[in-house]
Amino acid sequence: MEANDMTVRCGEGVINIRVGAILEQDGKLLMVRAPGGEPLYTVGGRLKFGETAEQAILREVREELGTELSVGRLLFVHELYFSGSVPPVKAGREVYEIGFYFEMKLPEDFVLPREEFCDGGAFAKLVWTDLADGEPCYPIFLKEEMRKRRSGKEP
């Protein structure tokens, strides 16, 4: 975590503002598998102070994928409380996270430019996960909501 990340202490807890890229191709989502593995999570990360959510997702995609993509619609805003595990700010603290999840436009001929990237000193892997499989991912509603969108049953 960097000093200007939008993660701040609030009493005994922490507030975290995150962005995520929804990258879909052929019924699969491009996700990240951290060392130790589960659940998968979206490409993305924390906003930095002074950034908009759109600027943050463009930066995060560039950092993690090594490529430029365009931002589509904001599909989901998600809030969550969880117990933090990342030192120094989050370890042992309750975290309130607000996540902004953007549809990102992949070119028709998109090929993953790399299979892993360095995330906080450890290597994370980029993986495609099928919308129909039961592998857990974060946010937990993502696969179900994307299946609804594909079938035309979105609200």
Side-chain angles (χ1 to χ4, degrees):
M1 186 179 72
E2 296 180 19
N4 60 345
D5 282 349
M6 294 290 279
T7 299
V8 294
R9 290 185 180 171
C10 183
E12 295 298 312
V14 175
I15 298 170
N16 191 60
I17 303 175
R18 184 179 196 284
V19 292
I22 299 175
L23 301 159
E24 183 183 3
Q25 185 177 63
D26 300 325
K28 295 183 178 186
L29 293 173
L30 183 59
M31 305 291 283
V32 177
R33 185 181 309 281
E38 286 190 19
L40 299 174
Y41 59 91
T42 59
V43 170
R46 292 178 201 88
L47 268 76
K48 296 188 180 302
F49 191 80
E51 282 182 319
T52 66
E54 285 190 17
Q55 290 168 332
I57 196 58
L58 289 170
R59 175 184 50 76
E60 289 288 346
V61 165
R62 186 173 48 255
E63 288 173 3
E64 295 178 14
L65 296 184
T67 192
E68 299 286 333
L69 296 177
S70 60
V71 178
R73 294 186 325 155
L74 174 63
L75 293 181
F76 309 107
V77 176
H78 180 245
E79 64 180 350
L80 172 71
Y81 277 97
F82 63 93
S83 181
S85 60
V86 179
V89 176
K90 293 184 190 174
R93 296 178 183 271
E94 191 75 6
V95 178
Y96 172 67
E97 181 173 272
I98 301 170
F100 298 94
Y101 293 88
F102 291 92
E103 178 179 48
M104 303 290 288
K105 304 291 184 188
L106 290 172
E108 295 270 332
D109 60 347
F110 179 78
V111 176
L112 195 58
R114 60 181 171 201
E115 293 184 9
E116 61 183 23
F117 64 94
C118 189
D119 184 21
F123 281 94
K125 293 189 180 282
L126 295 162
V127 297
W128 290 101
T129 184
D130 196 296
L131 287 174
D133 73 21
E135 184 169 19
C137 71
Y138 173 81
I140 58 173
F141 63 83
L142 184 58
K143 284 185 178 181
E144 177 65 24
E145 290 300 318
M146 294 307 291
R147 282 192 300 266
K148 287 179 189 175
R149 288 178 58 79
R150 286 192 68 132
S151 69
K153 295 179 182 174
E154 69 175 304

Coordinates of all heavy atoms in Angstrom, one line a residue, residues 96-132:
Y96 N -14.1 -1.3 5.8 CA -15.3 -0.9 5.0 C -14.8 -0.6 3.6 O -14.0 0.4 3.5 CB -16.0 0.2 5.6 CG -17.2 0.7 4.8 CD1 -18.3 -0.1 4.5 CD2 -17.1 2.0 4.2 CE1 -19.3 0.4 3.7 CE2 -18.1 2.5 3.4 CZ -19.2 1.7 3.1 OH -20.2 2.1 2.3
E97 N -15.2 -1.3 2.6 CA -14.7 -1.1 1.3 C -15.8 -0.7 0.3 O -16.9 -1.4 0.4 CB -14.0 -2.3 0.7 CG -13.4 -2.2 -0.7 CD -12.6 -3.4 -1.1 OE1 -11.4 -3.4 -0.8 OE2 -13.2 -4.3 -1.7
I98 N -15.6 0.3 -0.5 CA -16.5 0.7 -1.5 C -15.7 0.4 -2.8 O -14.6 0.8 -3.0 CB -16.9 2.2 -1.5 CG1 -17.5 2.5 -0.2 CG2 -17.8 2.5 -2.7 CD1 -17.7 4.0 0.1
G99 N -16.4 -0.4 -3.7 CA -15.7 -0.8 -5.0 C -16.6 -0.3 -6.2 O -17.8 -0.4 -6.2
F100 N -15.9 0.3 -7.1 CA -16.5 0.7 -8.4 C -16.0 -0.3 -9.5 O -14.8 -0.3 -9.7 CB -16.1 2.1 -8.7 CG -16.5 3.1 -7.7 CD1 -15.7 3.5 -6.7 CD2 -17.8 3.7 -7.8 CE1 -16.1 4.4 -5.7 CE2 -18.2 4.6 -6.8 CZ -17.3 5.0 -5.8
Y101 N -16.9 -1.0 -10.1 CA -16.6 -2.0 -11.1 C -17.0 -1.5 -12.5 O -18.2 -1.4 -12.8 CB -17.2 -3.3 -10.7 CG -16.6 -3.8 -9.5 CD1 -17.1 -3.5 -8.2 CD2 -15.4 -4.6 -9.5 CE1 -16.5 -3.9 -7.1 CE2 -14.8 -5.0 -8.3 CZ -15.3 -4.6 -7.1 OH -14.7 -5.0 -6.0
F102 N -16.0 -1.4 -13.4 CA -16.2 -0.8 -14.7 C -16.1 -1.9 -15.8 O -15.2 -2.8 -15.7 CB -15.2 0.2 -15.1 CG -15.3 1.5 -14.3 CD1 -14.7 1.7 -13.1 CD2 -16.1 2.5 -14.8 CE1 -14.8 2.9 -12.4 CE2 -16.3 3.7 -14.1 CZ -15.6 3.9 -12.9
E103 N -17.0 -1.9 -16.7 CA -16.8 -2.7 -17.9 C -15.7 -2.1 -18.7 O -15.6 -0.9 -18.9 CB -18.1 -2.6 -18.7 CG -18.1 -3.4 -20.0 CD -19.5 -3.2 -20.7 OE1 -20.0 -2.1 -20.8 OE2 -20.0 -4.2 -21.1
M104 N -14.8 -2.9 -19.2 CA -13.6 -2.5 -20.0 C -13.7 -3.1 -21.3 O -14.1 -4.3 -21.5 CB -12.3 -2.8 -19.3 CG -12.1 -2.3 -17.9 SD -11.9 -0.5 -17.8 CE -10.2 -0.3 -18.5
K105 N -13.4 -2.3 -22.4 CA -13.6 -2.8 -23.7 C -12.3 -3.6 -24.2 O -11.2 -3.0 -24.2 CB -13.8 -1.6 -24.7 CG -15.0 -0.8 -24.3 CD -16.3 -1.5 -24.5 CE -17.4 -0.6 -24.3 NZ -18.7 -1.2 -24.3
L106 N -12.5 -4.9 -24.4 CA -11.4 -5.7 -25.0 C -11.5 -5.7 -26.5 O -12.6 -5.9 -27.0 CB -11.4 -7.1 -24.5 CG -11.1 -7.3 -23.0 CD1 -11.4 -8.7 -22.6 CD2 -9.7 -6.9 -22.7
P107 N -10.4 -5.5 -27.2 CA -10.4 -5.7 -28.7 C -10.8 -7.1 -29.0 O -10.5 -8.0 -28.3 CB -9.0 -5.3 -29.1 CG -8.2 -5.0 -27.9 CD -9.1 -5.2 -26.7
E108 N -11.4 -7.3 -30.2 CA -11.8 -8.6 -30.7 C -10.6 -9.6 -30.7 O -10.8 -10.8 -30.3 CB -12.4 -8.5 -32.1 CG -13.7 -7.7 -32.2 CD -14.9 -8.6 -32.0 OE1 -14.8 -9.8 -32.3 OE2 -15.9 -8.0 -31.5
D109 N -9.5 -9.1 -31.0 CA -8.3 -10.0 -31.1 C -7.4 -9.9 -29.9 O -6.2 -10.2 -30.0 CB -7.5 -9.6 -32.4 CG -7.0 -8.2 -32.3 OD1 -7.5 -7.4 -31.5 OD2 -6.1 -7.8 -33.2
F110 N -8.0 -9.6 -28.7 CA -7.2 -9.4 -27.5 C -6.5 -10.7 -27.1 O -7.1 -11.8 -27.1 CB -8.1 -9.0 -26.4 CG -7.4 -8.8 -25.1 CD1 -6.6 -7.7 -24.8 CD2 -7.4 -9.8 -24.1 CE1 -5.9 -7.5 -23.6 CE2 -6.8 -9.7 -22.9 CZ -6.0 -8.5 -22.6
V111 N -5.2 -10.6 -26.9 CA -4.4 -11.7 -26.4 C -3.8 -11.2 -25.1 O -3.2 -10.1 -25.1 CB -3.3 -12.1 -27.4 CG1 -2.4 -13.2 -26.8 CG2 -4.0 -12.6 -28.7
L112 N -3.8 -12.0 -24.0 CA -3.2 -11.6 -22.8 C -1.7 -11.3 -22.9 O -1.0 -12.1 -23.4 CB -3.4 -12.7 -21.8 CG -3.2 -12.4 -20.3 CD1 -4.2 -11.3 -19.8 CD2 -3.5 -13.6 -19.5
P113 N -1.3 -10.0 -22.7 CA 0.1 -9.6 -22.9 C 1.1 -10.2 -21.9 O 2.2 -10.3 -22.2 CB 0.0 -8.1 -22.8 CG -1.2 -7.7 -22.1 CD -2.2 -8.9 -22.2
R114 N 0.6 -10.7 -20.8 CA 1.5 -11.3 -19.8 C 0.6 -12.2 -18.9 O -0.6 -11.9 -18.7 CB 2.3 -10.4 -19.0 CG 1.6 -9.3 -18.3 CD 2.5 -8.4 -17.6 NE 1.9 -7.3 -17.0 CZ 2.5 -6.2 -16.7 NH1 3.8 -6.0 -16.9 NH2 1.8 -5.2 -16.1
E115 N 1.2 -13.1 -18.2 CA 0.4 -14.0 -17.3 C 0.5 -13.7 -15.9 O -0.2 -14.2 -15.1 CB 0.8 -15.5 -17.6 CG 0.4 -15.9 -19.0 CD 0.7 -17.4 -19.2 OE1 1.1 -18.1 -18.3 OE2 0.6 -17.8 -20.4
E116 N 1.5 -12.8 -15.5 CA 1.6 -12.5 -14.1 C 2.2 -11.1 -14.0 O 2.7 -10.5 -14.9 CB 2.4 -13.5 -13.3 CG 3.9 -13.6 -13.8 CD 4.6 -14.7 -13.0 OE1 4.0 -15.6 -12.4 OE2 5.8 -14.7 -12.9
F117 N 2.0 -10.5 -12.8 CA 2.5 -9.2 -12.5 C 2.9 -9.1 -11.0 O 2.4 -9.9 -10.2 CB 1.5 -8.1 -12.9 CG 0.3 -8.1 -12.1 CD1 0.1 -7.3 -10.9 CD2 -0.8 -8.9 -12.5 CE1 -1.1 -7.4 -10.2 CE2 -2.0 -9.0 -11.7 CZ -2.1 -8.2 -10.6
C118 N 3.7 -8.2 -10.6 CA 4.1 -8.0 -9.3 C 3.1 -7.1 -8.5 O 2.8 -6.0 -9.0 CB 5.5 -7.4 -9.2 SG 6.2 -7.4 -7.5
D119 N 2.6 -7.6 -7.4 CA 1.6 -6.9 -6.7 C 2.0 -6.9 -5.2 O 1.9 -7.9 -4.5 CB 0.2 -7.6 -6.8 CG -0.9 -6.9 -6.1 OD1 -0.8 -5.7 -5.8 OD2 -1.9 -7.5 -5.8
G120 N 2.6 -5.7 -4.8 CA 3.0 -5.6 -3.4 C 4.2 -6.5 -3.0 O 4.2 -7.0 -1.9
G121 N 5.1 -6.8 -4.0 CA 6.2 -7.6 -3.7 C 6.0 -9.1 -4.0 O 6.9 -9.9 -3.9
A122 N 4.8 -9.5 -4.3 CA 4.5 -10.9 -4.7 C 3.9 -11.0 -6.1 O 3.3 -10.0 -6.5 CB 3.5 -11.5 -3.7
F123 N 4.1 -12.1 -6.7 CA 3.6 -12.2 -8.1 C 2.2 -12.8 -8.1 O 1.9 -13.8 -7.4 CB 4.5 -13.1 -8.9 CG 5.7 -12.4 -9.4 CD1 6.9 -12.4 -8.7 CD2 5.6 -11.6 -10.6 CE1 8.0 -11.7 -9.2 CE2 6.7 -10.9 -11.0 CZ 7.9 -10.9 -10.3
A124 N 1.3 -12.1 -8.8 CA -0.1 -12.5 -8.9 C -0.3 -13.0 -10.4 O 0.4 -12.5 -11.3 CB -1.0 -11.4 -8.6
K125 N -1.1 -14.0 -10.6 CA -1.4 -14.5 -11.9 C -2.7 -14.0 -12.5 O -3.7 -13.9 -11.8 CB -1.4 -16.1 -11.8 CG -0.1 -16.7 -11.5 CD -0.2 -18.2 -11.6 CE 1.2 -18.8 -11.3 NZ 2.2 -18.7 -12.3
L126 N -2.7 -13.8 -13.8 CA -3.9 -13.4 -14.5 C -4.4 -14.7 -15.1 O -3.7 -15.5 -15.7 CB -3.5 -12.4 -15.6 CG -3.0 -11.1 -15.2 CD1 -2.3 -10.3 -16.3 CD2 -4.2 -10.3 -14.6
V127 N -5.7 -15.0 -14.8 CA -6.4 -16.2 -15.3 C -7.7 -15.9 -15.8 O -8.4 -15.0 -15.4 CB -6.5 -17.2 -14.1 CG1 -5.1 -17.7 -13.6 CG2 -7.3 -16.7 -13.0
W128 N -8.1 -16.7 -16.8 CA -9.5 -16.6 -17.4 C -10.3 -17.7 -16.6 O -9.9 -18.8 -16.4 CB -9.5 -17.0 -18.8 CG -8.9 -16.0 -19.7 CD1 -7.6 -16.0 -20.2 CD2 -9.4 -14.7 -20.2 NE1 -7.4 -14.9 -21.0 CE2 -8.5 -14.1 -21.0 CE3 -10.7 -14.1 -20.0 CZ2 -8.7 -12.9 -21.5 CZ3 -10.9 -12.9 -20.6 CH2 -10.0 -12.3 -21.3
T129 N -11.5 -17.2 -16.1 CA -12.4 -18.1 -15.4 C -13.8 -18.1 -16.1 O -14.2 -17.1 -16.5 CB -12.5 -17.8 -13.9 OG1 -13.4 -18.7 -13.3 CG2 -13.1 -16.4 -13.7
D130 N -14.3 -19.3 -16.3 CA -15.6 -19.4 -17.0 C -16.7 -18.9 -16.1 O -16.8 -19.2 -14.9 CB -15.8 -20.9 -17.3 CG -16.9 -21.1 -18.4 OD1 -18.0 -20.8 -18.1 OD2 -16.5 -21.6 -19.5
L131 N -17.7 -18.2 -16.7 CA -18.8 -17.7 -16.0 C -19.7 -18.8 -15.4 O -20.4 -18.7 -14.4 CB -19.7 -16.9 -16.9 CG -19.2 -15.5 -17.3 CD1 -20.1 -14.8 -18.3 CD2 -19.0 -14.6 -16.1
A132 N -19.6 -20.0 -16.1 CA -20.5 -21.1 -15.6 C -19.8 -22.0 -14.6 O -20.5 -22.8 -14.0 CB -20.8 -22.0 -16.9

